Structures are given as C-alpha cells and as structure tokens.
Amino acid sequence: MSIIGCIVPHLPLRAETVVQGTLQLQWADPPRALPGRVQAAPHLDAWLDMGPGQRLRLDVGQAKRAAGDLYALANRRVAVSYAAHGDVAAGAKVMASAGVAPSISAIVPTDTLKPRALAAGADGRVMASAPILGATRWITLMCKFADIDAEQKPRSYFQEQYGTAPGQLGHYWSEVSYGQVSLAGSSAHGWYTLPKPRSAYLADVNGKQKAQLSELFADCAAAADAEVGFAGIQGVNLMFNGELDGNAWGGGACTTLDGVYTCTRVTWSPPWSFANLAPLAHEMGHGYGLPHSNNSDGDSDTYDNPWDVMSDAWRNATSDATYGLLPKHPNMYQRERLGWLPAARKRVVAADNRDTMEFVLDAGSLLKTANTQLVVLALPAQPDPYRTVIYTLEARRRTGTYEAKLAGDAVIIHKLEDYGIAYSVDRDTPAANYSSNEGSMLKVGGRWNTPDELHWVEVVSATADGFVVRIGPKPRSMSSPAPVLVRPATVAASSPPASRPAPSVPTPAARAATPPRRRACDALPSLLRVAPLCTWMER
C-alpha cells in the first residue's frame, strides 16, 4: 500500500469544506550519527484519520499555520477546514498532481478538554494542549518479520522496562511528571511473527524507502490480538527485530484492537532504538504530543540540544548495564504544557515589568519544592497569540538517575517560537554546534538580557538545589562598560554656542570640598617666601 494510496478516495472540496477526524502526527528519528558523519534529518508526517480505510494526508506546513500549536492537537479529535478554488477530488492521483490543491485554513479541536487545561497562559501564549495525567497504560508488542528469525531481547526485558525502579520507564515518567503520570498496568507481549517479509512493509516515496507504519501496526496488533487485551490502553510500543527505514518513529496511529477501531499513541522501534531507554523515551514523548526541541545555532540539525531528551537523547546521558543510555528530562515548558508542573512553581515576569525581583530557582529535577522551577519572561503579545515569543529560565543540576551527566550546573535559557518549539539559547557568538558549551549555561555571576532589553537576568548565587536569580529592568550594574550618558541641562538663549561650551563653575559647597592646590613655594621657610623666588619656583 503506498503512502498516499490510503487517502479518502472521494472528498469534494468546494469554497470551504470541513472534515473531522483524529489528528495523527508521526515523527521519524534517525540513529545518532557516527563520528565524522552528517546527522540525518528528522521527518514529520500529519494525517487526519476518519475511520477504517479513510485517511487524509495533511500538508505539515499548512497544518502548523492553521492550527497554531499543531502538537497540542496530536491524537485528538479535530475539524480541518479547507479552502479551495474549485471542486477537488482527494484521490491519490489528484493530491499528488501539480494541479489546483486545497489549502488548509484552520484546524481546531472538537473534543472536550479536562478542567486543568489552560486556553491561554499568563505569558500571552496559547496553551491548547490536553493534560496527560493519571494512569497511561502502555502495551509492548514484539514482532518479527517473516524473513528474519532473530529475537534480540526476551519478553522479560521489555516487561521490566515498565518497572518503577530508577532507570526504568515507570520511574522515569513518574519523576519527570512529578508523580502525575503512571505506567501502572503496562505489559509486554511477543515475539509474534508478521505475515510478510520486511521488504513488503517498505514503499518507495520520492526515491527513498519509507516504512508503512499503519500496516506494521495493524499486522502486529492482529498477530497479538488472540492473547492481548487492549481495553483501556493509552499507547502501544511496537518492537521489531529488524531495521525499518533507518528511523525509529513516534506519534500516533489507528487500527482495530479487540474488534474496535481505535486511535492511540504508538511508537515503532528497530533494535538500535529499544536497546537504549533514551531513544524509546524520546519516541514515547512524541506519543504524548511533545515536539522536538532544538538549539539556537540556526543549522538544520534538530538533535543538538543535549539538555533535552526531545532533542539530543544520546549526549550527556547516564547509562545502565541493562537498559543502555537513560533519558534526560524534557524542558520545563513542555512539562508545563502537559499539565505536570504545579502552578505555584511557575513565575511569569510581565513584558512591562519595572520591578527588580530576587528569588530561588530550584532545579527541575527536584520533585517537591515550594520554590519556582520555571520562569517565563513575557514579551509584548502579537496579534497572532500563537506567534508570541517568550523566553524561559530553568535550573539544571547534575544529580539523580537521569541528570548526573549533564554538561554543568546552570540556569538554562530557552526561546519559545515556531509554534511551540523550545530553542536553548547560546550566548556565544557564533553559537556552538551543540549547546553543552559554557555559552549555553548561565552560572553564578553570569548575566543575560532579552534582545529587546526588556528583561535583565543575573545568577546571584548557588543553593543546594538551584540558584538565586535576579530579574528586572536594565540596572546600572548590568550595563555595558560604555560611559554613562548624562543628559545636558537646558541651554539658555544667552549661553555660548554649542561648539564652545561654557566652563562649568563649581558651587560653593563643591569649592569647599575641594582641597586647595599646594604650591611649591609653601615648602620654604616664611622668611624666604618672597615673590620673585616663588614665581621662579612655580615655572
């Protein structure tokens, strides 16, 4: 089945057509590049699933603009509004042709959000994400291609991944969500044999092989259906005993489970991915609706921010003898989007703030605290609230099971833009390729300001669990070494021309405060202080 061959065969699109279904986002993540090799690029697909055999591929660029925060709508029921200049059939040939194509004008959620969901944050950005709270039960299905016999790991390995001991997925997701997410009831099953060889699950798309994710999900689930109960699951981790298309995948998909057509979170992992917990957690993050993070070097490499599991899962990672590289924490802003950060631990500094404040910023890895863990530096709101830019501050400390190998103890700055992507800020010029350099870390004595100079930040001191941070308008102590500009007094009409300023005359008080100049003649005895001699000595 080709990638575009499963699109709805007949969908007339007139001046405006609204189509409803479940939004599925699927991220492709290549393995870490070998030394000296260029890192392969990620890929994102977007689909609208309207039922068995009815899928509409969405243009990702249009979908981002139309939704504002497309990632917040992952795995949710949405309505997609199309605007077209005429009737357009949505068959595969028409969608692939260069003729008149429909344009996505809006994507809006049609489901009901939980009470804790925020429509808009105090920082001016839209917060349309659905909180991920409580039990999120995942099922692992291990499937073998019909032409590959290898079984790299036993079932017990995948079952124990869901454990609650440090270094296991149950413990990790509970820690990063501050106890608000549980993987209780998660289980692993297999190995099951797929009905087709590996090559049958690959299609040629624009000259490249691409894994047919829906077919893999459907066939793997069907092979396990007789002995696995899927009722109430929140996600499925698919493990394959051979390479897919060079990528691991994470996001969502739909298929028939226990006789019911179901849309859920899904990951697709080849052996190099499930051999390490870090890339598997990265793909599960996509399942929860988390996009990639990045850094501020401006290149095309998404995987160059080693502070964040949703960017570089490989560098600066701790390791475990059984589960390989372990995942770091995601950035604090994304954790707040999913409803994990208690409101009392967030501090918003308004764009028009004129006060200087000093407070403790605790590390995000601290599970219980009464102090701040996320600072939002708001900038002026834009007409499109999704395009409002903000900066965030969070503290990171080298401690615990997952954060002990970070590049340093520091305050990390992120810029939120591009419809919700977090970019770690590097103060070095030019920015480093990987944001594990000193420029990406604001340490004690370090100072930084937003480009518009609305907010000035200084790390005053370190604490046992974080840092004391000072934030306010531009203070004299943080100004550049250039001379202070002093406004001249209003010049009266009788003043000398500007080119010849009048000499300043000290006030009586100033004259009194200035000690008299000592003359050379004063060193002589009083009998010798005659005018001719004094005049000669002063020459």
Side-chain angles (χ1 to χ4, degrees), residues 311-396:
S311 177
D312 185 350
W314 305 95
R315 293 178 181 86
N316 300 113
T318 59
S319 62
D320 179 88
T322 301
Y323 302 113
L325 294 180
L326 300 181
K328 293 160 289 199
H329 288 193
N331 70 75
M332 292 299 297
Y333 183 81
Q334 300 297 1
R335 291 156 84 169
E336 190 215 8
R337 288 178 77 238
L338 297 185
W340 297 344
L341 182 70
R345 301 188 200 176
K346 174 184 175 181
R347 182 185 294 257
V348 177
V349 182
D352 58 354
N353 173 64
R354 293 295 178 267
D355 298 324
T356 298
M357 56 192 75
E358 193 171 294
F359 55 88
V360 174
L361 178 64
D362 275 343
S365 56
L366 195 63
L367 301 184
K368 295 182 179 180
T369 178
N371 295 318
T372 300
Q373 287 180 297
L374 171 64
V375 178
V376 174
L377 304 177
L379 300 185
Q382 302 299 311
D384 178 356
Y386 288 103
R387 301 301 298 272
T388 297
V389 174
I390 63 171
Y391 287 85
T392 66
L393 308 176
E394 62 182 81
R396 304 293 284 270

Side-chain angles (χ1 to χ4, degrees), residues 6 34 57 68 101 150 178 298 315 331 344 440 451 481 531 534:
C6 55
L34 296 175
R57 186 166 188 170
Y178 304 109
R315 293 178 181 86
N331 70 75
S440 70
C534 288

Side-chain angles (χ1 to χ4, degrees), residues 11-17 83-90 94 99-102:
L11 179 63
L13 297 174
R14 296 179 174 83
E16 185 172 354
T17 299
H85 300 294
D87 292 348
V88 180
V94 176
V100 178

Side-chain angles (χ1 to χ4, degrees), residues 197-419:
R198 174 180 172 270
S199 60
Y201 295 100
L202 297 173
D204 184 83
V205 179
N206 297 325
K208 295 182 179 180
Q209 285 191 328
K210 190 165 187 181
Q212 300 301 277
L213 304 182
S214 291
E215 286 187 68
L216 287 166
F217 183 26
D219 285 356
C220 191
D225 190 64
E227 67 175 50
V228 179
F230 293 98
I233 65 164
Q234 294 291 311
V236 177
N237 285 317
L238 300 173
M239 309 297 171
F240 298 96
N241 70 335
E243 186 61 79
L244 301 177
D245 53 9
N247 299 294
W249 290 79
C254 307
T255 196
T256 299
L257 302 174
D258 289 342
V260 178
Y261 192 73
T262 304
C263 297
T264 187
R265 305 176 180 97
V266 185
T267 70
W268 296 258
S269 293
W272 60 262
S273 178
F274 63 65
N276 295 280
L277 213 62
L280 179 55
H282 179 108
E283 303 309 333
M284 290 180 71
H286 287 320
Y288 286 131
L290 295 179
H292 284 131
S293 298
N294 207 327
N295 74 354
S296 56
D297 63 359
D299 65 16
S300 59
D301 184 4
T302 299
Y303 309 101
D304 47 12
N305 175 5
W307 298 100
D308 196 328
V309 69
M310 297 312 297
S311 177
D312 185 350
W314 305 95
R315 293 178 181 86
N316 300 113
T318 59
S319 62
D320 179 88
T322 301
Y323 302 113
L325 294 180
L326 300 181
K328 293 160 289 199
H329 288 193
N331 70 75
M332 292 299 297
Y333 183 81
Q334 300 297 1
R335 291 156 84 169
E336 190 215 8
R337 288 178 77 238
L338 297 185
W340 297 344
L341 182 70
R345 301 188 200 176
K346 174 184 175 181
R347 182 185 294 257
V348 177
V349 182
D352 58 354
N353 173 64
R354 293 295 178 267
D355 298 324
T356 298
M357 56 192 75
E358 193 171 294
F359 55 88
V360 174
L361 178 64
D362 275 343
S365 56
L366 195 63
L367 301 184
K368 295 182 179 180
T369 178
N371 295 318
T372 300
Q373 287 180 297
L374 171 64
V375 178
V376 174
L377 304 177
L379 300 185
Q382 302 299 311
D384 178 356
Y386 288 103
R387 301 301 298 272
T388 297
V389 174
I390 63 171
Y391 287 85
T392 66
L393 308 176
E394 62 182 81
R396 304 293 284 270
R397 300 298 297 267
R398 291 171 291 184
T399 184
T401 303
Y402 310 104
E403 302 275 270
K405 293 259 182 104
L406 294 177
D409 300 333
V411 172
I412 308 302
I413 308 163
H414 285 96
K415 181 180 182 181
L416 270 296
E417 59 179 350
D418 192 23
Y419 303 102

Side-chain angles (χ1 to χ4, degrees), residues 26-39:
Q26 297 169 347
W27 283 266
D29 291 294
R32 179 181 181 180
L34 296 175
R37 300 286 184 89
V38 177
Q39 177 66 57

